[in-house]
């Protein structure tokens, strides 16, 4: 009897003691999800040969002109904050392993010395195992497994969130660089106007007020360009940080803004996709399932603790007695009332969080889609109406200037306004792609690009938009006014 009980306890130990936490747990499923939704790959850096190859890939990509996808890929391979998120998988898997382990058996011994030297010491040895823990082990594993699945979903959501943040930072930098170039063109025109104003003022052809206006316009253009350069530096550092780069190497991004898709997906389709594929939503649903298991465990956990084992004792008369032993908890004071109430409250809380998040998802889809459509409308208005009108004004102003019907300042002003319209057009493009990136985050994956696509502008953004104004060395004498 003693032998069989000891063997049973040893067998239970062997049954539960073989599980270990493995490196990279759960990453395979996350990698598949991310690849399906972005076309890109992720890695959990653990110092392997594949990790070193990924680092070499990052350095190689930085030597080339970066697209939006390339910057996101670098971040998914290199962002240290994302690497920290991956460790949550290791924590959750360790909890899963721990949940499958039985409590260790308790070995106890007693030695009692007689008051007479001739007598033999009384010895007692026992071993016991918590039997209630054996019954609860399968349910504990179910809870931990559900929490592990929840951790994988939350990690996948974090990856997609970083991808969206990097894309937004990329388009923001791209727009800022375009704006800087536009403001540089405006500064050239403002400088030409200020220099001309100096010459005309010296010749007595303009007043103090007009000279001051031209100089103020030039100084404002200098200020605007300075701010634009600072914004480019800030946006570049933000993108550099998101890519996980400790220093800022001389990487470059594409100058060409992507064109618009021909159409946008309808709200109903976006809402359906968001509710079905948002990983944070799936994580809360998994949390509900895990808490349902926890409630069941808390109810069963109210069972009295039962320990069984074997005990052997040698008495002072050298006789030995051996037999089974048990201990039963008496649930007189603590019946796990608080534990059960807490588990049930957490379950209700999680269900309400799920309902609130579903409403939040619908709200985010509506508002982000509305912003996307507004930005698209602005782009089309600039492309189809405002920019052609500004170009027409410049053409007519050039004709009037050639016929000496207007002054050069009016021509330069028309050119500055044309460049300003292109600047606002580019900003609308930037806002559109930021909104589309946010919509992809809200939906939980890439949006399909419909064909045919709408090209960015009537005039190509790859060439100078405005020709530099021709400023004559000698001004026309038809604009008199003199010094005030």
């Amino acid at each position: 009897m003693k032998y069989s009980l000891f063997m049973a306890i040893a067998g239970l130990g062997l049954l539960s003691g073989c599980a270990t936490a493995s490196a990279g747990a759960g990453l395979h499923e996350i990698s598949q999800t991310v690849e399906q939704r972005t076309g890109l790959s992720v890695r959990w850096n653990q110092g392997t040969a594949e990790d070193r190859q990924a680092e070499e890939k990052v350095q190689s990509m930085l030597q080339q002109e970066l697209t939006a996808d390339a910057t996101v890929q670098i971040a998914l391979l290199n962002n240290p904050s994302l690497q920290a998120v991956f460790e949550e998988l290791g924590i959750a898997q360790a909890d899963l392993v721990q949940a499958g382990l039985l409590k260790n058996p308790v070995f106890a011994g007693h030695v009692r010395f007689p008051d007479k030297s001739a007598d033999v010491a009384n010895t007692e040895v026992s071993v016991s195992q918590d039997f209630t823990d054996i019954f609860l082990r399968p349910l504990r594993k179910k809870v931990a497994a559900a929490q592990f699945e929840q951790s994988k979903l939350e990690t996948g959501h974090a990856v997609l969130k970083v991808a969206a943040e990097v894309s937004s930072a990329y388009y923001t930098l791209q727009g800022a660089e375009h704006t800087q170039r536009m403001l540089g063109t405006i500064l050239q025109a403002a400088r030409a106007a200020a220099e001309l104003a100096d010459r005309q003022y010296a010749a007595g052809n303009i007043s103090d007020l007009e000279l001051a206006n031209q100089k103020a316009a030039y100084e404002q253009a200098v200020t605007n360009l300075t701010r634009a350069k600072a914004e480019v530096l800030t946006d570049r550092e933000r993108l550099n940080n998101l890519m996980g780069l400790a220093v800022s190497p001389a990487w470059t991004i594409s100058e060409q803004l992507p064109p618009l898709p021909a159409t946008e997906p309808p709200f109903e389709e976006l809402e359906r996709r968001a509710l079905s594929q948002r990983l944070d939503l799936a994580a809360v649903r998994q949390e509900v399932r895990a808490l349902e298991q926890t409630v069941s465990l808390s109810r069963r956990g109210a069972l009295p603790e039962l320990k069984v084992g074997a005990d052997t004792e040698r008495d002072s008369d050298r006789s030995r007695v051996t037999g089974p032993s048990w201990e039963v908890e008496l649930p007189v004071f603590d019946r796990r009332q608080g534990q059960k109430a807490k588990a049930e409250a957490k379950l209700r809380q999680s269900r309400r969080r799920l309902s609130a998040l579903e409403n939040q998802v619908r709200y985010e889809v509506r508002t982000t889609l509305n912003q996307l459509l507004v930005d698209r409308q602005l782009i089309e208005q600039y492309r189809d109406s405002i920019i052609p009108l500004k170009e027409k004004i410049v053409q007519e102003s050039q004709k009037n200037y050639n016929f000496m019907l207007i002054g050069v300042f009016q021509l330069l002003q028309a050119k500055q306004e044309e460049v300003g319209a292109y600047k606002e057009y580019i900003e609308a493009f930037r806002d559109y792609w930021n909104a589309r990136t946010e919509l992809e985050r809200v939906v939980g994956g890439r949006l399909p690009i419909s064909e045919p696509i709408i090209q960015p502008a009537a005039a190509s953004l790859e060439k100078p938009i405005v020709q530099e104004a021709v400023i004559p060395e000698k001004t026309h004498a038809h604009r008199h006014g003199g010094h005030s």
Side-chain angles (χ1 to χ4, degrees):
M1 184 177 185
K2 176 181 70 173
Y3 176 78
S4 61
L5 191 55
F6 271 91
M7 289 302 295
I9 293 174
L12 290 172
L14 291 174
L15 180 65
S16 65
C18 300
T20 57
S22 62
L27 186 64
H28 178 67
E29 294 94 325
I30 294 173
S31 299
Q32 286 185 323
T33 300
V34 171
E35 187 171 359
Q36 289 170 358
R37 301 191 184 186
T38 67
L40 305 173
S41 59
V42 296
R43 71 168 180 130
W44 184 354
N45 190 346
Q46 296 177 330
T48 64
E50 291 78 6
D51 294 327
R52 288 188 289 273
Q53 291 175 0
E55 292 171 1
E56 293 172 358
K57 179 180 179 180
V58 167
Q59 295 305 317
S60 175
M61 293 174 70
L62 289 171
Q63 306 303 316
Q64 306 169 19
E65 184 179 79
L66 297 177
T67 62
D69 280 349
T71 56
V72 174
Q73 181 62 86
I74 290 172
L76 296 186
L77 295 176
N78 200 56
N79 186 299
S81 297
L82 206 52
Q83 295 298 314
V85 171
F86 289 145
E87 296 300 333
E88 293 292 336
L89 293 174
I91 295 171
Q93 201 224 11
D95 289 339
L96 176 59
V97 171
Q98 188 65 38
L101 301 177
L102 295 175
K103 289 184 179 179
N104 292 323
V106 177
F107 181 80
H110 303 278
V111 179
R112 302 177 185 90
F113 297 99
D115 57 355
K116 298 179 181 179
S117 58
D119 294 336
V120 178
N122 175 275
T123 60
E124 180 180 0
V125 177
S126 67
V127 61
S128 63
Q129 176 69 38
D130 186 344
F131 227 70
T132 306
D133 180 63
I134 298 173
F135 291 117
L136 295 179
R137 175 175 172 264
L139 189 54
R140 279 203 318 269
K141 289 184 66 176
K142 286 184 180 180
V143 172
Q147 291 172 340
F148 184 40
E149 291 302 315
Q150 178 186 346
S151 179
K152 287 192 286 187
L153 292 168
E154 289 173 343
T155 302
H157 178 69
V159 172
L160 295 178
K161 186 176 179 180
V162 168
E165 191 174 358
V166 174
S167 291
S168 178
Y170 178 89
Y171 292 127
T172 298
L173 175 59
Q174 198 175 45
E177 289 185 347
H178 273 287
T179 297
Q180 179 182 327
R181 287 191 286 272
M182 295 295 105
L183 290 175
T185 304
I186 292 175
L187 177 60
Q188 291 176 4
R191 180 185 293 113
E195 292 172 352
L196 175 61
D198 280 332
R199 295 199 297 270
Q200 287 195 337
Y201 183 80
N205 290 334
I206 62 172
S207 65
D208 290 340
L209 177 60
E210 194 161 4
L211 175 64
N213 282 334
Q214 296 302 324
K215 286 187 173 294
Y218 168 70
E219 295 299 333
Q220 186 62 53
V222 171
T223 300
N224 292 342
L225 182 58
T226 301
R227 287 176 176 169
K229 289 179 178 179
E231 186 174 347
V232 167
L233 290 176
T234 299
D235 293 339
R236 182 181 175 87
E237 287 299 328
R238 176 171 175 250
L239 183 56
N240 194 77
N241 182 59
L242 287 171
M243 287 191 290
L245 304 175
V247 296
S248 183
W251 48 263
T252 59
I253 65 172
S254 173
E255 293 184 4
Q256 183 65 41
L257 286 164
L260 292 184
T263 59
E264 305 297 345
F267 168 76
E268 292 76 12
E269 178 186 342
L270 294 173
E271 181 187 45
R272 177 185 57 78
R273 293 182 63 183
L275 292 174
S276 64
Q277 70 178 18
R278 275 277 290 260
L279 294 183
D280 57 339
L281 203 54
V284 177
R285 293 188 183 115
Q286 187 64 34
E287 179 185 70
V288 170
R289 288 190 285 270
L291 287 171
E292 288 171 345
Q293 298 285 353
T294 302
V295 168
S296 179
L297 178 61
S298 68
R299 290 169 180 167
R300 297 188 189 183
L303 295 174
E305 185 176 290
L306 171 64
K307 294 182 180 179
V308 297
D311 181 274
T312 181
E313 180 178 0
R314 188 181 68 173
D315 211 339
S316 58
D317 62 359
R318 300 182 182 273
S319 64
R320 181 178 295 277
V321 291
T322 301
S325 65
W326 63 88
E327 295 180 31
V328 180
E329 177 190 17
L330 298 179
V332 177
F333 306 110
D334 181 5
R335 299 179 183 177
R336 315 291 194 271
Q337 302 96 320
Q339 183 181 22
K340 289 188 292 183
K342 180 179 179 181
E344 290 167 356
K346 282 189 171 183
L347 176 58
R348 293 193 301 271
Q349 180 188 54
S350 183
R351 285 171 174 166
R352 286 165 183 163
R353 284 183 58 238
L354 175 59
S355 177
L357 185 55
E358 288 174 343
N359 289 338
Q360 177 69 19
V361 167
R362 294 186 182 95
Y363 161 77
E364 289 179 356
V365 172
R366 283 194 300 270
T367 56
T368 309
L369 179 60
N370 288 340
Q371 183 60 54
L372 181 78
L373 295 176
V374 168
D375 293 332
R376 183 186 184 93
Q377 183 178 354
L378 289 174
I379 289 171
E380 292 171 345
Q381 186 174 5
Y382 273 102
R383 185 196 64 227
D384 299 336
S385 301
I386 296 176
I387 288 178
L389 286 173
K390 293 294 183 181
E391 291 174 341
K392 181 68 173 177
I393 290 172
V394 170
Q395 293 171 3
E396 294 301 319
S397 297
Q398 186 73 57
K399 291 178 184 178
N400 289 338
Y401 174 74
N402 292 339
F403 288 105
M404 301 176 63
L405 298 176
I406 63 172
V408 69
F409 294 127
Q410 291 172 277
L411 174 60
L412 289 172
Q413 180 63 31
K415 288 184 176 292
Q416 290 182 43
E417 291 178 358
E418 182 190 29
V419 176
Y422 272 100
K423 171 181 170 293
E424 293 169 358
Y425 169 76
I426 289 168
E427 290 172 348
F429 246 97
R430 174 203 63 197
D431 294 343
Y432 170 86
W433 281 104
N434 277 338
R436 190 175 179 89
T437 297
E438 175 64 12
L439 186 57
E440 289 181 339
R441 184 198 68 78
V442 167
V443 170
R446 286 276 177 91
L447 298 178
I449 300 294
S450 57
E451 299 288 349
I453 54 178
I454 301 175
Q455 295 301 323
S460 173
L461 297 180
E462 295 180 342
K463 62 184 180 182
I465 296 174
V466 178
Q467 298 293 330
E468 186 176 352
V470 179
I471 307 299
E473 289 295 326
K474 295 183 179 180
T475 60
H476 297 300
H478 72 284
R479 295 200 64 197
H480 295 290
H483 298 177
S484 59

